[in-house]
Amino acid sequence: MAIRELGKINSYSNNVPIKRKFEIWKEEENPEKFISPLGKMYQQTEDMRDTELVDINKIEPQYEYQGLVSVIRAPDYWRNIGSSKSRTTAQIEEGKQIISEQLKSQTPNTAVAFTDGSCLGNPGPCGGAIIYINDQEEKLKRPVSNKGSILLAELIAIKIVLDHIESFSKAQIDTLTIFSDSQTALGILTLNWKSDSYHQTINEIKGKIKNLNEHGILINLNWTPGHANIKGNDEADFLAKEAAKEAETLAVDDIVFTKQDVKKAARNSVTKKWQRRWENSNAGRHYFRFHPEVKNKVKKTSRQKKCTT
């Protein structure tokens, strides 16, 4: 909890008084400051940085973007087609039919892009890619981060196509339809779903959409079911996996951490410290023989289970 609170403070703007005080405290050269409660909290963040490679000084800034107006709710087919893990053959066919009809309904001056993200672990190396279809098919991919998430990759994939389309004029296209298989990314961008991470990326995407709209290019964001034998999505998925592999070579120093990264790293760091103390303690050695690894939850004994049934 202490680490997460300091991470939250670090994400504030310097205009926030508590952030300014924290920055002043960090610059103090008094060694005794580390025996204070705040000092002990800060030392925990240092331990986390050493063990988990997550630095609260690199946490993304906290802010909220007030921009695009949300729609009331997601389209019904988001729920009807199911998830890729449990989707039936009938649902796959229904999804293909829906996307096929949407593609056929596009106007002549419309560009279409399928985007996808991939992550080798969560967090882990991640990348995004698009299949861009206008007069001709164009494939783009980008390694995103050595330690990112699938959501970041999905968002960056959408940003890639928006970056690409900014060089076009209204005479070339008047509408861009983006198909993404991430309901989370689309919900954040179009339905005002809450996101605790990647505020800067989300802000940039919404800003680009607003700018393109103002220049006469309408942006449509649609969901396509993933792993449903839809050509554009399947090709984007393949490219995104290639980009994620390329992301393994990216430098760790350039990573901007999110609150979720800090939360997970704090939990892992504290658990490792707890484990070391448990292994080196003189107390509870009989219990240690049966439970050498610390856990957040204690398993119930067979006797306890009988009492609760």
Side-chain angles (χ1 to χ4, degrees):
M1 181 65 73
I3 296 175
R4 287 157 56 184
E5 284 302 313
L6 285 189
K8 185 177 180 180
I9 292 171
N10 239 40
S11 71
Y12 292 158
S13 163
N14 286 329
N15 295 327
V16 179
I18 192 171
K19 173 64 180 296
R20 290 202 303 270
K21 290 181 179 179
F22 184 45
E23 291 299 323
I24 293 171
W25 179 89
K26 286 195 290 185
E27 296 298 323
E28 291 180 1
E29 297 184 357
N30 180 10
E32 293 185 359
K33 70 180 183 180
F34 291 107
I35 64 175
S36 67
L38 178 59
K40 292 179 180 178
M41 290 166 64
Y42 189 73
Q43 285 180 312
Q44 289 183 41
T45 68
E46 297 287 287
D47 291 341
M48 180 184 71
R49 184 190 62 189
D50 294 339
T51 60
E52 302 300 315
L53 303 179
V54 174
D55 187 351
I56 65 165
N57 293 315
K58 295 183 178 180
I59 194 169
E60 65 175 357
Q62 174 176 289
Y63 59 88
E64 293 185 3
Y65 179 88
Q66 301 296 329
L68 302 179
V69 178
S70 68
V71 298
I72 297 175
R73 64 173 187 173
D76 290 337
Y77 81 96
W78 282 29
R79 297 186 300 274
N80 297 342
I81 295 179
S83 70
S84 59
K85 294 180 180 179
S86 59
R87 193 173 294 137
T88 65
T89 302
Q91 287 175 319
I92 290 175
E93 292 304 315
E94 181 184 356
K96 290 169 66 176
Q97 181 65 27
I98 290 173
I99 301 305
S100 176
E101 291 175 358
Q102 290 184 5
L103 289 171
K104 290 177 182 178
S105 67
Q106 303 301 313
T107 58
N109 226 27
T110 296
V112 174
F114 284 87
T115 70
D116 201 8
S118 180
C119 189
L120 306 178
N122 203 9
C126 62
I130 70 164
I131 299 294
Y132 174 76
I133 306 167
N134 195 6
D135 292 332
Q136 59 184 6
E137 186 175 291
E138 190 169 354
K139 300 180 180 181
L140 302 171
K141 63 179 178 179
R142 183 187 302 171
V144 176
S145 173
N146 185 276
K147 195 171 184 178
S149 70
I150 185 63
L151 175 58
L152 176 61
E154 297 282 4
L155 289 168
I156 292 296
I158 294 172
K159 184 174 179 291
I160 291 172
V161 69
L162 294 174
D163 289 340
H164 184 66
I165 215 71
E166 282 181 330
S167 62
F168 286 67
S169 67
K170 190 178 184 300
Q172 294 172 284
I173 63 168
D174 56 28
T175 304
L176 169 65
T177 299
I178 298 175
F179 289 94
S180 168
D181 63 6
S182 173
Q183 291 187 359
T184 303
L186 295 179
I188 291 169
L189 295 173
T190 65
L191 305 176
N192 277 355
W193 289 4
K194 181 182 177 182
S195 174
D196 292 327
S197 306
Y198 312 122
H199 300 292
Q200 182 174 345
T201 301
I202 293 166
N203 177 53
E204 290 176 356
I205 292 172
K206 289 184 175 182
K208 286 178 180 293
I209 292 173
K210 184 178 180 182
N211 181 61
L212 287 166
N213 286 340
E214 290 174 350
H215 284 79
I217 299 177
L218 177 65
I219 308 298
N220 295 321
L221 293 172
N222 295 345
W223 178 68
T224 176
H227 307 287
N229 300 323
I230 295 172
K231 183 176 181 291
N233 175 257
D234 288 346
E235 292 184 1
D237 177 71
F238 178 80
L239 286 175
K241 288 176 179 174
E242 286 189 341
K245 291 179 182 177
E246 294 173 9
E248 291 180 307
T249 62
L250 295 179
V252 179
D253 294 341
D254 297 332
I255 294 174
V256 176
F257 296 105
T258 68
K259 291 180 183 177
Q260 294 302 313
D261 294 331
V262 172
K263 180 179 178 180
K264 184 174 182 178
R267 183 169 58 247
N268 291 340
S269 177
V270 170
T271 301
K272 288 178 180 178
K273 184 183 292 185
W274 184 17
Q275 181 68 42
R276 289 195 300 270
R277 289 181 177 178
W278 180 229
E279 291 173 353
N280 297 325
S281 174
N282 293 323
R285 294 303 86 187
H286 176 73
Y287 187 78
F288 178 82
R289 290 168 55 193
F290 301 97
H291 300 278
E293 295 183 2
V294 298
K295 294 181 180 179
N296 291 329
K297 293 183 179 180
V298 178
K299 286 186 177 181
K300 290 184 178 181
T301 64
S302 56
R303 183 177 180 181
Q304 288 174 320
K305 289 179 180 178
K306 289 179 181 179
C307 293
T308 57
T309 56

Coordinates of all heavy atoms in Angstrom, one line a residue, residues 104-184:
K104 N -18.8 -4.2 -46.8 CA -19.5 -3.9 -48.0 C -20.3 -2.6 -47.9 O -20.5 -1.9 -49.0 CB -20.5 -5.0 -48.3 CG -19.9 -6.3 -48.7 CD -21.0 -7.4 -48.8 CE -20.4 -8.8 -49.2 NZ -21.4 -9.8 -49.3
S105 N -20.6 -2.1 -46.7 CA -21.4 -0.9 -46.6 C -20.5 0.4 -46.6 O -21.0 1.5 -46.6 CB -22.1 -0.9 -45.3 OG -21.3 -0.8 -44.2
Q106 N -19.2 0.2 -46.7 CA -18.3 1.4 -46.7 C -18.4 2.2 -48.0 O -18.6 1.6 -49.1 CB -16.8 0.9 -46.5 CG -16.5 0.1 -45.3 CD -16.9 0.9 -44.0 OE1 -16.5 2.0 -43.8 NE2 -17.6 0.2 -43.1
T107 N -18.4 3.5 -47.9 CA -18.5 4.3 -49.1 C -17.2 4.3 -49.9 O -16.1 3.9 -49.4 CB -18.8 5.8 -48.7 OG1 -17.7 6.2 -47.8 CG2 -20.1 5.9 -47.9
P108 N -17.2 4.7 -51.2 CA -16.0 4.6 -52.1 C -14.8 5.3 -51.5 O -13.7 4.9 -51.8 CB -16.5 5.1 -53.4 CG -18.0 4.9 -53.4 CD -18.4 5.1 -51.9
N109 N -15.0 6.4 -50.9 CA -13.9 7.2 -50.4 C -13.5 6.9 -49.0 O -12.9 7.7 -48.3 CB -14.2 8.7 -50.5 CG -13.1 9.5 -51.1 OD1 -12.3 9.0 -51.9 ND2 -13.0 10.8 -50.8
T110 N -13.7 5.6 -48.6 CA -13.4 5.2 -47.2 C -12.1 4.3 -47.2 O -12.0 3.4 -48.1 CB -14.6 4.4 -46.6 OG1 -15.7 5.3 -46.5 CG2 -14.2 3.8 -45.3
A111 N -11.3 4.5 -46.3 CA -10.1 3.7 -46.0 C -10.4 2.7 -44.9 O -11.2 3.1 -44.0 CB -8.9 4.5 -45.7
V112 N -9.9 1.5 -44.9 CA -10.2 0.5 -43.9 C -8.9 0.0 -43.3 O -7.9 -0.2 -44.1 CB -11.0 -0.7 -44.5 CG1 -11.2 -1.8 -43.4 CG2 -12.4 -0.2 -45.0
A113 N -8.9 -0.1 -42.0 CA -7.7 -0.7 -41.4 C -8.1 -1.7 -40.3 O -9.0 -1.5 -39.5 CB -6.8 0.5 -40.7
F114 N -7.4 -2.8 -40.3 CA -7.5 -3.8 -39.2 C -6.3 -3.6 -38.3 O -5.1 -3.7 -38.8 CB -7.5 -5.2 -39.8 CG -8.9 -5.6 -40.4 CD1 -9.1 -5.3 -41.7 CD2 -9.8 -6.2 -39.7 CE1 -10.3 -5.6 -42.3 CE2 -11.1 -6.5 -40.2 CZ -11.3 -6.3 -41.6
T115 N -6.5 -3.5 -37.0 CA -5.4 -3.3 -36.1 C -5.4 -4.4 -35.1 O -6.4 -5.0 -34.7 CB -5.5 -2.0 -35.3 OG1 -6.6 -2.0 -34.4 CG2 -5.7 -0.8 -36.3
D116 N -4.2 -4.7 -34.5 CA -4.1 -5.7 -33.5 C -2.8 -5.5 -32.7 O -1.9 -4.9 -33.2 CB -4.0 -7.1 -34.1 CG -4.4 -8.2 -33.1 OD1 -4.9 -7.8 -32.0 OD2 -4.3 -9.4 -33.4
G117 N -2.8 -6.0 -31.4 CA -1.7 -5.9 -30.6 C -1.3 -7.3 -30.1 O -2.2 -8.2 -30.0
S118 N -0.1 -7.5 -29.7 CA 0.4 -8.7 -29.1 C 1.4 -8.5 -28.0 O 2.1 -7.5 -28.0 CB 1.0 -9.6 -30.2 OG 1.5 -10.8 -29.7
C119 N 1.4 -9.4 -27.0 CA 2.3 -9.2 -25.9 C 2.8 -10.6 -25.5 O 2.0 -11.5 -25.3 CB 1.5 -8.6 -24.7 SG 2.6 -8.1 -23.4
L120 N 4.1 -10.7 -25.3 CA 4.7 -11.9 -24.9 C 4.8 -11.9 -23.3 O 5.9 -11.6 -22.8 CB 6.1 -12.1 -25.5 CG 6.2 -12.0 -27.0 CD1 7.6 -12.1 -27.5 CD2 5.3 -13.1 -27.7
G121 N 3.8 -12.3 -22.7 CA 3.7 -12.1 -21.2 C 2.9 -10.8 -21.0 O 2.8 -9.9 -21.9
N122 N 2.4 -10.6 -19.8 CA 1.6 -9.5 -19.5 C 1.9 -9.0 -18.1 O 1.2 -9.4 -17.1 CB 0.1 -9.8 -19.6 CG -0.8 -8.6 -19.9 OD1 -0.2 -7.5 -20.1 ND2 -2.1 -8.7 -19.8
P123 N 2.9 -8.1 -17.8 CA 3.6 -7.4 -18.9 C 4.7 -8.2 -19.5 O 5.2 -9.2 -19.0 CB 4.2 -6.2 -18.1 CG 4.4 -6.8 -16.7 CD 3.3 -7.7 -16.5
G124 N 5.2 -7.7 -20.7 CA 6.2 -8.3 -21.4 C 6.5 -7.5 -22.7 O 5.8 -6.5 -22.9
P125 N 7.3 -8.0 -23.6 CA 7.6 -7.4 -24.9 C 6.3 -7.3 -25.7 O 5.6 -8.3 -25.8 CB 8.6 -8.3 -25.5 CG 9.3 -9.0 -24.4 CD 8.2 -9.2 -23.4
C126 N 5.9 -6.2 -26.2 CA 4.6 -6.1 -26.9 C 4.8 -5.3 -28.2 O 5.7 -4.4 -28.3 CB 3.5 -5.5 -26.1 SG 3.9 -3.8 -25.5
G127 N 3.9 -5.5 -29.2 CA 4.0 -4.8 -30.4 C 2.6 -4.6 -31.0 O 1.7 -5.4 -30.7
G128 N 2.5 -3.7 -31.9 CA 1.2 -3.4 -32.6 C 1.4 -3.4 -34.1 O 2.5 -3.2 -34.6
A129 N 0.3 -3.7 -34.8 CA 0.4 -3.8 -36.3 C -1.0 -3.5 -36.9 O -2.0 -3.6 -36.3 CB 0.8 -5.1 -36.7
I130 N -0.9 -3.1 -38.2 CA -2.2 -2.8 -38.9 C -2.1 -3.4 -40.3 O -1.0 -3.5 -40.9 CB -2.5 -1.3 -39.0 CG1 -1.5 -0.6 -40.0 CG2 -2.5 -0.6 -37.7 CD1 -2.0 0.7 -40.4
I131 N -3.2 -3.7 -40.8 CA -3.3 -4.0 -42.3 C -4.2 -2.9 -42.8 O -5.4 -2.7 -42.5 CB -4.0 -5.4 -42.5 CG1 -3.2 -6.5 -41.9 CG2 -4.3 -5.6 -44.0 CD1 -1.9 -6.7 -42.6
Y132 N -3.6 -2.0 -43.6 CA -4.3 -0.9 -44.1 C -4.7 -1.1 -45.6 O -4.0 -1.5 -46.4 CB -3.4 0.4 -44.1 CG -3.9 1.6 -44.7 CD1 -4.9 2.4 -44.1 CD2 -3.5 2.0 -46.0 CE1 -5.4 3.5 -44.6 CE2 -4.0 3.1 -46.5 CZ -4.9 3.9 -45.9 OH -5.5 5.0 -46.5
I133 N -6.0 -0.9 -45.8 CA -6.6 -1.2 -47.1 C -7.2 0.0 -47.7 O -8.2 0.5 -47.2 CB -7.6 -2.4 -47.0 CG1 -7.0 -3.6 -46.3 CG2 -8.2 -2.7 -48.4 CD1 -8.1 -4.6 -45.9
N134 N -6.7 0.6 -48.7 CA -7.3 1.7 -49.5 C -7.3 1.2 -50.9 O -8.0 0.3 -51.3 CB -6.5 3.0 -49.3 CG -7.3 4.2 -49.7 OD1 -8.5 4.1 -50.0 ND2 -6.7 5.3 -49.7
D135 N -6.6 1.9 -51.8 CA -6.5 1.4 -53.2 C -5.7 0.1 -53.2 O -5.8 -0.7 -54.1 CB -5.9 2.4 -54.1 CG -6.8 3.6 -54.2 OD1 -8.0 3.4 -54.1 OD2 -6.3 4.8 -54.5
Q136 N -4.8 0.0 -52.2 CA -3.9 -1.2 -52.2 C -3.6 -1.5 -50.7 O -3.7 -0.6 -49.8 CB -2.6 -1.0 -52.9 CG -1.8 0.2 -52.4 CD -0.5 0.4 -53.3 OE1 -0.4 -0.2 -54.3 NE2 0.3 1.3 -52.9
E137 N -3.3 -2.7 -50.5 CA -3.1 -3.2 -49.1 C -1.7 -2.7 -48.6 O -0.7 -2.8 -49.4 CB -3.2 -4.7 -49.0 CG -3.1 -5.3 -47.6 CD -3.3 -6.8 -47.6 OE1 -4.5 -7.2 -47.8 OE2 -2.3 -7.5 -47.3
E138 N -1.6 -2.3 -47.4 CA -0.3 -1.8 -46.8 C -0.2 -2.4 -45.4 O -1.1 -2.4 -44.6 CB -0.3 -0.3 -46.8 CG 1.1 0.2 -46.4 CD 1.2 1.7 -46.7 OE1 0.2 2.3 -47.2 OE2 2.2 2.3 -46.3
K139 N 1.0 -2.9 -45.1 CA 1.2 -3.6 -43.8 C 2.2 -2.8 -43.0 O 3.3 -2.4 -43.5 CB 1.7 -5.0 -44.0 CG 0.7 -5.9 -44.8 CD 1.3 -7.3 -44.9 CE 0.3 -8.2 -45.7 NZ 0.8 -9.6 -45.9
L140 N 1.8 -2.4 -41.8 CA 2.7 -1.7 -40.9 C 2.8 -2.4 -39.5 O 1.8 -2.9 -39.0 CB 2.2 -0.3 -40.7 CG 2.0 0.6 -41.9 CD1 1.3 1.9 -41.6 CD2 3.3 0.9 -42.6
K141 N 3.9 -2.4 -38.9 CA 4.1 -2.9 -37.6 C 5.1 -2.1 -36.8 O 5.9 -1.4 -37.3 CB 4.5 -4.4 -37.6 CG 5.9 -4.6 -38.2 CD 6.2 -6.1 -38.2 CE 7.6 -6.3 -38.9 NZ 8.0 -7.7 -38.9
R142 N 5.0 -2.2 -35.4 CA 5.9 -1.4 -34.6 C 6.1 -2.1 -33.3 O 5.1 -2.4 -32.6 CB 5.4 0.0 -34.3 CG 6.3 0.9 -33.5 CD 5.6 2.2 -33.2 NE 5.2 2.9 -34.3 CZ 4.4 4.0 -34.3 NH1 4.0 4.4 -33.1 NH2 4.1 4.6 -35.4
P143 N 7.4 -2.4 -32.9 CA 7.6 -2.9 -31.5 C 7.3 -1.8 -30.6 O 7.7 -0.6 -30.8 CB 9.1 -3.3 -31.5 CG 9.7 -2.5 -32.7 CD 8.6 -2.4 -33.7
V144 N 6.6 -2.0 -29.5 CA 6.1 -1.0 -28.6 C 6.9 -0.8 -27.4 O 7.4 0.3 -27.1 CB 4.6 -1.2 -28.3 CG1 4.1 -0.2 -27.3 CG2 3.8 -1.2 -29.5
S145 N 7.1 -1.9 -26.6 CA 7.8 -1.8 -25.3 C 8.4 -3.1 -24.9 O 7.8 -4.2 -25.3 CB 6.8 -1.3 -24.3 OG 7.4 -1.3 -23.0
N146 N 9.5 -3.1 -24.2 CA 10.1 -4.3 -23.7 C 9.3 -4.8 -22.5 O 9.4 -6.0 -22.2 CB 11.6 -4.0 -23.3 CG 12.3 -5.3 -22.9 OD1 12.2 -5.7 -21.7 ND2 13.0 -5.9 -23.8
K147 N 8.5 -4.0 -21.9 CA 7.8 -4.4 -20.7 C 6.4 -3.6 -20.7 O 6.2 -2.7 -20.0 CB 8.5 -4.1 -19.4 CG 8.0 -4.8 -18.2 CD 8.9 -4.7 -17.0 CE 8.4 -5.5 -15.8 NZ 9.3 -5.4 -14.7
G148 N 5.5 -4.1 -21.6 CA 4.2 -3.4 -21.7 C 3.1 -4.4 -21.5 O 3.4 -5.5 -21.1
S149 N 1.9 -4.1 -21.9 CA 0.8 -4.9 -21.8 C 0.1 -5.1 -23.1 O 0.3 -4.3 -24.1 CB -0.2 -4.4 -20.7 OG -0.8 -3.2 -21.2
I150 N -0.9 -6.0 -23.2 CA -1.6 -6.2 -24.4 C -2.5 -5.0 -24.7 O -2.7 -4.6 -25.9 CB -2.5 -7.5 -24.3 CG1 -3.2 -7.8 -25.6 CG2 -3.5 -7.4 -23.1 CD1 -2.3 -8.1 -26.8
L151 N -3.0 -4.3 -23.7 CA -3.8 -3.1 -23.9 C -3.0 -2.0 -24.5 O -3.4 -1.3 -25.5 CB -4.4 -2.6 -22.6 CG -5.1 -1.3 -22.7 CD1 -6.3 -1.3 -23.7 CD2 -5.7 -0.8 -21.3
L152 N -1.7 -1.8 -24.0 CA -0.8 -0.8 -24.6 C -0.6 -1.1 -26.1 O -0.6 -0.2 -27.0 CB 0.5 -0.8 -23.9 CG 1.5 0.2 -24.5 CD1 1.0 1.6 -24.5 CD2 2.9 0.1 -23.7
A153 N -0.4 -2.4 -26.4 CA -0.1 -2.8 -27.8 C -1.3 -2.5 -28.7 O -1.2 -2.0 -29.8 CB 0.3 -4.3 -27.9
E154 N -2.5 -2.8 -28.2 CA -3.7 -2.6 -28.9 C -3.9 -1.1 -29.2 O -4.3 -0.7 -30.3 CB -5.0 -3.1 -28.2 CG -5.0 -4.6 -28.0 CD -5.4 -5.4 -29.2 OE1 -5.6 -4.8 -30.3 OE2 -5.5 -6.7 -29.1
L155 N -3.7 -0.3 -28.2 CA -3.8 1.2 -28.3 C -2.8 1.7 -29.3 O -3.2 2.6 -30.2 CB -3.7 1.9 -27.0 CG -4.8 1.7 -26.0 CD1 -4.4 2.2 -24.6 CD2 -6.1 2.4 -26.4
I156 N -1.6 1.3 -29.2 CA -0.5 1.8 -30.2 C -0.9 1.4 -31.6 O -0.6 2.1 -32.5 CB 0.8 1.2 -29.7 CG1 1.3 1.9 -28.4 CG2 1.9 1.5 -30.8 CD1 1.4 3.4 -28.5
A157 N -1.4 0.2 -31.8 CA -1.8 -0.3 -33.1 C -2.8 0.7 -33.7 O -2.7 1.1 -34.9 CB -2.4 -1.7 -33.1
I158 N -3.8 1.2 -32.9 CA -4.7 2.2 -33.4 C -4.0 3.5 -33.7 O -4.3 4.1 -34.7 CB -5.9 2.4 -32.4 CG1 -6.7 1.1 -32.3 CG2 -6.8 3.5 -32.8 CD1 -7.7 1.1 -31.2
K159 N -3.1 3.8 -32.9 CA -2.3 5.1 -33.1 C -1.5 5.0 -34.3 O -1.3 6.1 -35.0 CB -1.5 5.4 -31.8 CG -0.7 6.7 -31.9 CD 0.0 6.9 -30.6 CE 0.8 8.2 -30.6 NZ 1.9 8.2 -31.5
I160 N -1.0 3.9 -34.7 CA -0.1 3.7 -35.9 C -0.9 4.1 -37.1 O -0.5 4.9 -38.0 CB 0.4 2.3 -36.0 CG1 1.4 2.0 -34.9 CG2 1.0 2.1 -37.4 CD1 1.8 0.5 -34.9
V161 N -2.2 3.6 -37.2 CA -3.0 3.9 -38.4 C -3.4 5.4 -38.4 O -3.5 6.0 -39.5 CB -4.2 3.0 -38.5 CG1 -5.2 3.2 -37.4 CG2 -4.8 3.1 -39.9
L162 N -3.6 6.0 -37.3 CA -4.0 7.4 -37.2 C -2.8 8.3 -37.6 O -2.9 9.3 -38.3 CB -4.5 7.8 -35.8 CG -5.8 7.2 -35.4 CD1 -6.1 7.5 -33.9 CD2 -6.9 7.6 -36.3
D163 N -1.6 7.9 -37.2 CA -0.4 8.6 -37.6 C -0.2 8.5 -39.1 O 0.1 9.5 -39.8 CB 0.9 7.9 -36.9 CG 1.0 8.2 -35.5 OD1 0.3 9.2 -35.0 OD2 1.7 7.5 -34.8
H164 N -0.5 7.3 -39.6 CA -0.4 7.1 -41.1 C -1.4 7.9 -41.9 O -1.0 8.5 -42.9 CB -0.5 5.6 -41.4 CG -0.3 5.2 -42.8 ND1 0.9 5.3 -43.4 CD2 -1.2 4.7 -43.8 CE1 0.8 4.9 -44.7 NE2 -0.4 4.6 -44.9
I165 N -2.6 8.0 -41.4 CA -3.6 8.7 -42.2 C -3.5 10.2 -42.1 O -4.1 10.9 -42.9 CB -5.0 8.2 -41.6 CG1 -6.0 8.1 -42.8 CG2 -5.5 9.1 -40.6 CD1 -5.7 6.9 -43.7
E166 N -2.8 10.7 -41.2 CA -2.6 12.2 -41.0 C -2.0 12.8 -42.3 O -2.2 14.0 -42.5 CB -1.8 12.5 -39.8 CG -2.6 12.4 -38.5 CD -1.8 12.8 -37.3 OE1 -0.6 12.6 -37.3 OE2 -2.5 13.3 -36.3
S167 N -1.3 12.0 -43.0 CA -0.6 12.6 -44.2 C -1.6 12.6 -45.4 O -1.2 13.2 -46.5 CB 0.6 11.7 -44.6 OG 0.2 10.4 -44.9
F168 N -2.8 12.1 -45.3 CA -3.7 12.1 -46.4 C -4.6 13.4 -46.3 O -4.8 14.0 -45.3 CB -4.6 10.9 -46.2 CG -4.0 9.6 -46.6 CD1 -3.0 9.0 -45.9 CD2 -4.4 8.9 -47.8 CE1 -2.3 7.9 -46.2 CE2 -3.8 7.7 -48.1 CZ -2.7 7.2 -47.3
S169 N -5.1 13.7 -47.4 CA -6.0 14.9 -47.5 C -7.4 14.4 -47.7 O -7.7 13.2 -48.0 CB -5.7 15.7 -48.7 OG -5.9 15.0 -49.9
K170 N -8.4 15.3 -47.4 CA -9.8 14.9 -47.6 C -10.1 14.5 -49.0 O -11.1 13.8 -49.2 CB -10.7 16.1 -47.1 CG -12.2 15.7 -47.0 CD -13.0 16.9 -46.5 CE -14.4 16.5 -46.3 NZ -15.1 16.0 -47.5
A171 N -9.4 15.0 -50.0 CA -9.6 14.7 -51.3 C -9.3 13.2 -51.6 O -9.9 12.5 -52.5 CB -8.8 15.5 -52.3
Q172 N -8.4 12.6 -50.8 CA -8.0 11.2 -51.0 C -9.0 10.3 -50.2 O -9.4 9.3 -50.8 CB -6.6 11.0 -50.4 CG -5.5 11.7 -51.2 CD -4.2 11.6 -50.6 OE1 -3.9 12.3 -49.6 NE2 -3.3 10.7 -51.1
I173 N -9.3 10.6 -49.0 CA -10.3 9.8 -48.2 C -11.1 10.8 -47.4 O -10.7 11.9 -47.0 CB -9.7 8.8 -47.3 CG1 -8.8 9.5 -46.3 CG2 -8.9 7.8 -48.1 CD1 -8.4 8.5 -45.2
D174 N -12.4 10.4 -47.1 CA -13.2 11.2 -46.2 C -13.6 10.5 -45.0 O -14.2 11.0 -44.1 CB -14.4 11.8 -46.9 CG -15.3 10.8 -47.6 OD1 -15.3 9.6 -47.1 OD2 -15.9 11.1 -48.6
T175 N -13.3 9.1 -45.0 CA -13.7 8.3 -43.9 C -12.6 7.2 -43.6 O -12.1 6.7 -44.6 CB -15.1 7.6 -44.1 OG1 -16.1 8.6 -44.3 CG2 -15.5 6.8 -42.8
L176 N -12.3 7.0 -42.4 CA -11.4 5.9 -42.0 C -12.1 5.0 -41.0 O -12.6 5.4 -40.0 CB -10.1 6.4 -41.4 CG -9.2 5.4 -40.7 CD1 -8.7 4.4 -41.7 CD2 -8.1 6.0 -39.9
T177 N -12.3 3.7 -41.4 CA -12.9 2.8 -40.5 C -11.8 1.8 -40.0 O -11.2 1.2 -40.8 CB -14.0 2.0 -41.3 OG1 -15.0 2.9 -41.7 CG2 -14.6 0.9 -40.3
I178 N -11.7 1.8 -38.7 CA -10.7 1.0 -38.0 C -11.4 -0.2 -37.3 O -12.4 0.0 -36.6 CB -9.9 1.8 -37.0 CG1 -9.1 2.9 -37.6 CG2 -8.9 0.9 -36.2 CD1 -8.4 3.8 -36.7
F179 N -10.9 -1.4 -37.6 CA -11.5 -2.6 -37.0 C -10.4 -3.1 -36.0 O -9.3 -3.5 -36.4 CB -11.8 -3.7 -38.0 CG -13.0 -3.4 -38.9 CD1 -12.8 -2.8 -40.1 CD2 -14.2 -3.8 -38.4 CE1 -13.9 -2.6 -40.9 CE2 -15.4 -3.5 -39.2 CZ -15.2 -2.9 -40.5
S180 N -10.8 -3.1 -34.7 CA -9.9 -3.6 -33.7 C -10.6 -4.8 -32.9 O -11.8 -4.8 -32.8 CB -9.5 -2.5 -32.7 OG -8.9 -3.1 -31.5
D181 N -9.8 -5.8 -32.5 CA -10.4 -6.9 -31.8 C -10.4 -6.7 -30.3 O -10.6 -7.6 -29.5 CB -9.8 -8.3 -32.2 CG -8.3 -8.4 -31.8 OD1 -7.8 -7.5 -31.2 OD2 -7.7 -9.4 -32.2
S182 N -10.0 -5.5 -29.8 CA -9.9 -5.2 -28.4 C -11.1 -4.4 -28.0 O -11.2 -3.2 -28.2 CB -8.6 -4.5 -28.1 OG -8.6 -4.0 -26.7
Q183 N -12.0 -5.0 -27.3 CA -13.2 -4.3 -26.8 C -12.8 -3.3 -25.7 O -13.4 -2.2 -25.6 CB -14.2 -5.3 -26.2 CG -14.9 -6.1 -27.3 CD -16.1 -6.9 -26.7 OE1 -16.4 -6.9 -25.5 NE2 -16.7 -7.7 -27.6
T184 N -11.7 -3.6 -25.0 CA -11.2 -2.7 -23.9 C -10.7 -1.4 -24.5 O -11.1 -0.3 -24.0 CB -10.1 -3.4 -23.1 OG1 -10.6 -4.6 -22.5 CG2 -9.7 -2.5 -22.0

